[in-house]
Amino acid sequence: MSTAALIPLDRLLAILTAVVWCATAASRLTTPPKRSAATPRPSTPAEESTTALLPSTPPGRSTAASRLAASPEGSSGAATGRLVMGGAPITRGRASAVVFVAALVVTALRVAAAVVLAGRGWWFAGEKVLIALPLLVPPAVGAGVATLLRRPVLAAVCSLTACYAAVAGVVVVLAVGYPPAPYLAGVLVAGVLLGAAATWSMLTRKGPPGRAWRIAGALVAALALAWTGLSMWNARPTEVRLATGPTDLTTLRPADTTTQPTNAAAQPTDTTRQPTDATQQPADAGQGTAREAGQAGRMRRFTLTAEKGTITLASGRRVEALTFNGTSPGPAIRVRQGDLVEVRLRNHLADRGVTLHWHGYRVPNADDGVPGLTQDAVRPGGEFVYRFRASEPGSYWYHTHETPNEGLRQGLFGTFTVDPATPEGLDEPVALHTYGGTLTVTADKAPADGLARQVVAPGTKVRLRVVNTDNGPHTVGVSGTPYTIEAVDGVTVTGPPTTERAQLAAGGRYDLAFTMPDRPALLSVGLPNTGLLLTPGSGATPPEPVTPVLDITRYGSHGPAVPARFDREAAWVLDRLIALRGGLPLLSHTVNAEVWPHIPAQTVKQGEWLRITVVNRSGDLHPMHPHGHHVLVLSRNGVRAVPLWMDSFDVAPGEVWVVALHADNPGVWLAHCHELTHAAEGMTLHLAYEGVGSRYALGGHNHPE
Ligand code: C2O
Ligand code: CU
């Protein structure tokens, strides 16, 4: 069984263990001990064998357990111990025996799952081996042994203790997260042990619980309430300023992006963003000379106006959308390397703020479009000007970052392409976006909710810059001819021609290239009858590829050199836990067991190399995206990557990715899951350069998550 399947199974088993042990505990307290029943009745052989497994109270020893058990119907003779289920009477004794056996079996399965996960090097086996299982297994075994030895009180105490331990196990799995806070682990262990002691004392003493116990119980309840209240108060929504360093991030704009260049000679060199060697800059992978050639850039001005509208898909279907300049995707912005880009954003929406984030493009921090971090969201009627030099060629895209899970999904995005030279042949961005539940493909016309078609002469060089603007992955590939992946997330890669398909993470880009054959070629996107069909004029549509999916981290033969040493190490553990969001305990997507904006910042110093281990402890896929930087993928699940630069990478359940980030773009940057519902439910953190501060605050009108 795959790790991806084992993780949810492990969680399910944790919950199931708690259910069956609590049921067992309940049945221990309510099943009448057979031999102490008031009216003897003949037992069938089947019942005899069942009762062998059950607790029985030796005559003459009236305990709280037997009193509890006997209380409601203990003197009602033959009715005792019978339940009616589905019309057929079954003995309650048998039911409780079944529950008990189930509890033992589920516990054994739980141990087995933990052992298998540990055997696969799963990061989190430790928390089970150290906390959950040591608490659960001894009382479970104790309950079994006590039952065999016919020690009913001991069996009841053990069953109840197993119930407490199993519940603590659920808390560990669903709410504590990783790394487990030592005090929380301590509280859980103490709770289970105290519970066991209290249970023992209650079940063996005569008479009602003593005063000391009542006081202790009340004290524990009061403490728990106070703790919960205090944490909820601390997590209530407030304005938050994330970075308070002395350097205001808005001063980090390089000088040359704030003035219009008059001629090439007058342009200051963009020294902060020049590569020093091939290993350090993603844009340098093979296109260094183009960079210099492009320095004699022009000023390119664009205006994007956000407005509500209706767009018409290729089929004629009309969809309500949020648009830039009346279209969605918004205008394709395409510039030459070296151009100075100025984009004026206007907000003509009535009811929401908007910003522009340049996904994957390494803009100066103040142009990153993150409300509450790098600017205030542009309110209705307002505007904001973004200005930066297009020094890095490649395929990128832009989108609003104010409540992006709503704004972007409803249409506030477009493609952004930086050409190193005049494009040859057919070279176009292709955006994949789901409108109202329908996946569309946008190349040169309206979004196609079906097959988009273009006529291309055989022999033409084709480069399709596929952009995934959705929340989930798409499986892309070309059928009809082999193709190469020429760039990943805007950065050139070198790999062999393939016929396999490739999983494109949410937010990610692949440039797929081939020479047009004399028959049709299909860009497939993982759905039948959806994609971009290029035809030389005639010929049958090639079938959808059913070839396996290639591992992008191992595509190609060589990549940039890996730094020999790192200045910092970090681990980001992605999880699904109950956490306090806006002051309420909600099922959340967490990083290191915390939710936005309370996840501690990932700090770096300019010039450092940071190695990040990203571990997915949850059952969901997380396309992780750091702003302002690409990361160099070093390994995936312990297998060395080529390596390659990415800015959006899919971390599947149970996976461990090791990536390197070069801190060469100072500022305060977001890093988040690009499944934007996850980002909104907590999976957003920030990368903070030491000494850099932001004058903007989260909350109010600023919601980048
Ligand atoms: Cu497309 Cu914060 O990202
Ligand atoms: Cu996610």
Side-chain angles (χ1 to χ4, degrees), residues 62-88:
S62 166
T63 65
S66 62
R67 281 199 306 278
L68 259 173
S71 54
E73 46 188 3
S75 56
S76 56
T80 306
R82 283 186 178 268
L83 286 174
V84 177
M85 264 192 196

Side-chain angles (χ1 to χ4, degrees), residues 324-460:
F324 283 121
N325 302 359
T327 70
S328 179
I333 297 182
R334 192 148 195 178
V335 301
R336 274 286 287 280
Q337 187 179 20
D339 285 352
L340 190 56
V341 181
E342 183 183 284
V343 181
R344 185 171 298 267
L345 168 67
R346 296 202 164 115
N347 187 357
H348 286 183
L349 298 167
D351 53 353
R352 65 170 59 240
V354 61
T355 67
L356 289 180
H357 167 61
W358 304 90
H359 184 117
Y361 197 77
R362 295 146 41 83
V363 290
N365 193 215
D367 295 291
D368 199 42
V370 178
L373 224 59
T374 67
Q375 66 172 99
D376 282 321
V378 179
R379 309 268 294 273
E383 63 174 52
F384 189 91
V385 177
Y386 298 86
R387 208 181 281 114
F388 54 91
R389 185 169 297 284
S391 46
E392 295 166 5
S395 307
Y396 307 95
W397 60 298
Y398 62 84
H399 62 79
T400 183
H401 222 299
E402 169 60 29
T403 47
N405 189 42
E406 297 165 16
L408 157 55
R409 287 179 76 188
Q410 290 175 46
L412 290 174
F413 71 94
T415 60
F416 173 56
T417 311
V418 181
D419 291 311
T422 310
E424 292 173 39
L426 175 72
D427 180 329
E428 63 186 1
V430 179
L432 310 182
H433 192 80
T434 299
Y435 293 98
T438 305
L439 175 60
T440 66
V441 177
T442 308
D444 59 338
K445 298 188 205 74
D449 45 345
L451 271 190
R453 286 165 199 272
Q454 270 175 266
V455 175
V456 186
T460 308

Side-chain angles (χ1 to χ4, degrees), residues 589 621-623 673 675 678 683:
H589 292 278
L621 177 71
H622 298 299
C673 177
E675 156 55 272
H678 298 179
M683 197 169 277

Side-chain angles (χ1 to χ4, degrees), residues 466-479:
V466 186
V467 185
N468 181 358
T469 69
D470 271 335
N471 267 352
H474 289 301
T475 305
V476 302
V478 176
S479 55

